[in-house]
Amino acid sequence: MKGENIFLLCYLLAPCLHYLSSDRMIVRVAYCRDGYLGSRFDEMQNRSARNMQNEDWAEFMVVWRNDRLELYNNYTFPCRERFAGHKHLAFVVPLKSVQTKLSLFSFTDMSFCIVCPPASLHAGVKTLLPFQRETGTNVFVFKARCRSRAIDWIWRLWQEMGGKFPSFIEVRSPILDTRLKIDIPEDLDNSIFSRDNLITLCMRGLSAIQDWDTIIKKRLAEGAHMELAWRLDTNLDWVWWLDDLYGNPRTWAALAGLAFNQAGRAAHLEVRLAEHMASQLHIKDSHRLPEPPAIEGYVSRVRPASGGREEVYLTVHNGLLFTLVPVNAHAPNPPGVVPVPYDSDQDTRDALHKEEVRRGAEQVLAARSVMDLRAIIEVRRAFGPVFLPTQRVRNTARSDREDEHLDIEVAHEESDNRDVGGDVGLTGDIVTMRMRRCFELVTKTGHVIRFETWSAKVAIEWIERLHALIRYWNLRHIVDTRQEMDVVHFATGRPRITPHRLRHEGEKLHPTEPPSNPAVALPYLSSMYHWCVYGGCRPITKSGRLYVRRGLRGRYKLVQLLLVAGKLVQFHIKPKSVHFQRRGNLVPLLDGYVLSGVIAAQALPKGQYNPNNPVTPRRYADGLESDDSEENTIFIVYYVPNRMAQAEKIPSLNVAKKMMVFRCRSRVERDVWCWAVNTEIERLIRERRDREVKMRNAGAPIPL
């Protein structure tokens, strides 16, 4: 306890290091006996580096004191820390050595690297690692849980180690394909380069452009807003989180990207229209198709052989149909009931929206199975008291009229209006009345699933609402897939796997499409890195199909992965089934870390990753084509299991963490997933600020 008090006193009396005095991070320590690793060591250099001796990832307490970083872990002997009054000093990183170099290791997960010469831990200790000589180079790769916290470490270290400001900063506008130059004075005032002030300057400059009124001003009037983002290739990092966990302003938030330089490429600052997840589609003839309202309710699933009924609750979120046990339905409040009374209409609307988001998230977390609406080829009224569980279906290869059955009007009968619902409405021919209350889902596998509703009118409503939802989400996935491939082609210049060719009227092939032009596709990035991830506007933050395995060994399994309320939820996808059952436990992200790319692939056991494997082009069922290498599609999540991830309990440094290995279909898809998971971790940490402060102050360094 004495050591902790000394540390706290130093923490309070050192204003220059008040912000970055101590943090928990996972660190990979390595040693290169060849000595020189270049001025910037990142994941590309790490891929080709030779004679590297790597330690496993481990969590450390990283302390910045004076001119060095100190890395502490737990003592191996019990009670040693109590008697010593401090943690065990494991490694030291000298910051003032001319051989010490800082670099951004990966823009995707915002890890950073420091290479430095060997340094002593304290008097009498000459080497850093047991196997290390006095020559060579030590390599430390740091990964903080909080993305904003990692940015602040990079920014402060960059300044401390001689980072120089350019004479001006260039702000690009992808949607108008133009650039603005803002001079940086020698006596830099961070308030001038605050996010809000930079946005104001950019809007003032862009408003003089001819297309301002037709493009930007119109979108602003519709409710959009301008934001800043740093971009590297097809990866975005929005300038967000303007305060730290202690409530102090991060005045450097908009400038921190000056320190982002990976593989010789610097990040670019852009001013963009911040978009929420698209709620409408632009279809042919300039028409817009709005996202239909979801539907939910209690129904009975009818068994085909016995005719038995099972009570279930169905609800739709993000184009997915979830099945719940009625006791876990989290049904909506009765009309007119507001969760908490508020003073204004706006507060009431906000409260209702938050309650709906919370309720939807609880439904997803409690769901026992899920079905993708794209797997449903027909929704129809029941036409016989007895039905077959399967039927032959037509070829479901994608075509422009694959959803033509959705345009057919649902048949109504006079008896439908007389059905008042429930047992009271069962008059006359009860078997026929029950049949009229049923609707059926015909899936692409040929399976037929029948549900019975409260009344015939309710059955008709389910059919009509599901028709609209299926049509919208089929088109939504097609548009998203095309945009992703356009981003890869136009923004990076990589040729398409299947070239696009147009036809003349005489059915002669037109030459291939024009050369890549970043201005065409880069605005799409705003919709991929959409603002709902920050705002928590939807119950499901992110969803998609990924390959996953638990731990370092075993086979990958295809799952429907959902990021919901700070947890990852998995539903196992089987080849001949459209009902995906819940798989495994929830993966809590509160104390999680995300690693991606080469460094994630290198964490796999020896023999599982070969950087020289040939890349095979792939085409998926939804039309997505990709030829990214394995290392560019993989990411790993380290997490503390549910039984240990308690909201108020501070996990030990050496707490056993579990690992989930995820493999995406493309690099762009991987990058968006990493950004979404990292953002969710940051949101969880900021919601528990007191816990985070306790965690950073848990344990003490060696007294000065």
Side-chain angles (χ1 to χ4, degrees), residues 10-11 14-22 64-66 156 160:
C10 296
Y11 181 80
C16 62
L17 294 180
H18 172 78
Y19 188 80
L20 292 175
S21 61
S22 175
W64 184 350
R65 295 200 299 186
N66 299 327
R156 289 298 181 85
E160 178 74 12

Side-chain angles (χ1 to χ4, degrees), residues 343-445:
D343 297 332
S344 66
D345 292 341
Q346 182 63 44
D347 290 339
T348 302
R349 286 194 296 270
D350 292 343
L352 288 172
H353 177 69
K354 290 180 180 179
E355 172 63 16
E356 284 301 296
V357 171
R358 183 204 63 78
R359 189 176 66 83
E362 293 293 338
Q363 289 179 332
V364 175
L365 294 175
R368 69 181 188 186
S369 65
V370 68
M371 180 189 299
D372 195 321
L373 292 181
R374 290 177 293 174
I376 302 173
I377 62 172
E378 187 176 358
V379 186
R380 67 192 184 193
R381 297 197 71 173
F383 52 84
V386 180
F387 72 102
L388 297 176
T390 60
Q391 71 171 50
R392 296 186 63 182
V393 297
R394 57 184 170 81
N395 185 0
T396 57
R398 189 170 302 281
S399 66
D400 292 338
R401 296 304 301 161
E402 183 180 348
D403 61 351
E404 59 184 353
H405 68 279
L406 302 176
D407 298 329
I408 301 176
E409 186 177 353
V410 182
H412 293 68
E413 292 187 4
E414 185 178 351
S415 60
D416 297 335
N417 298 324
R418 296 196 301 266
D419 186 359
V420 296
D423 293 338
V424 177
L426 293 176
T427 59
D429 188 349
I430 296 179
V431 175
T432 302
M433 289 292 292
R434 282 192 176 276
M435 181 196 69
R436 299 298 298 171
R437 293 179 177 183
C438 294
F439 68 92
E440 295 177 347
L441 307 180
V442 183
T443 68
K444 290 185 176 181
T445 60

Side-chain angles (χ1 to χ4, degrees), residues 241-361:
W241 312 119
L242 301 184
D243 294 329
D244 63 22
L245 289 173
Y246 304 98
N248 302 316
R250 299 173 65 242
T251 56
W252 56 85
L255 290 176
L258 294 174
F260 299 162
N261 191 303
Q262 184 180 350
R265 303 187 312 276
H268 305 288
L269 184 62
E270 298 181 342
V271 58
R272 287 177 165 269
L273 281 170
E275 301 180 10
H276 287 266
M277 184 174 176
S279 59
Q280 60 182 3
L281 290 171
H282 296 273
I283 56 179
K284 296 179 180 179
D285 302 326
S286 301
H287 291 155
R288 295 183 179 184
L289 179 64
E291 179 181 349
I295 185 171
E296 60 181 301
Y298 295 96
V299 297
S300 299
R301 181 171 180 178
V302 184
R303 300 297 180 183
S306 63
R309 288 164 173 78
E310 178 191 10
E311 299 297 323
V312 296
Y313 192 88
L314 300 182
T315 181
V316 176
H317 296 287
N318 277 35
L320 301 170
L321 179 64
F322 294 90
T323 303
L324 295 88
V325 178
V327 70
N328 297 326
H330 299 279
N333 292 317
V337 177
V338 181
V340 181
Y342 286 90
D343 297 332
S344 66
D345 292 341
Q346 182 63 44
D347 290 339
T348 302
R349 286 194 296 270
D350 292 343
L352 288 172
H353 177 69
K354 290 180 180 179
E355 172 63 16
E356 284 301 296
V357 171
R358 183 204 63 78
R359 189 176 66 83

Side-chain angles (χ1 to χ4, degrees), residues 88 128 165 203 261 337 422 444 461 473 478 579 619 665:
H88 171 249
L128 181 63
F165 292 99
M203 293 180 66
N261 191 303
V337 177
K444 290 185 176 181
E461 182 183 2
W473 285 103
I478 293 173
H579 251 114
R619 181 181 176 88
R665 303 182 300 173

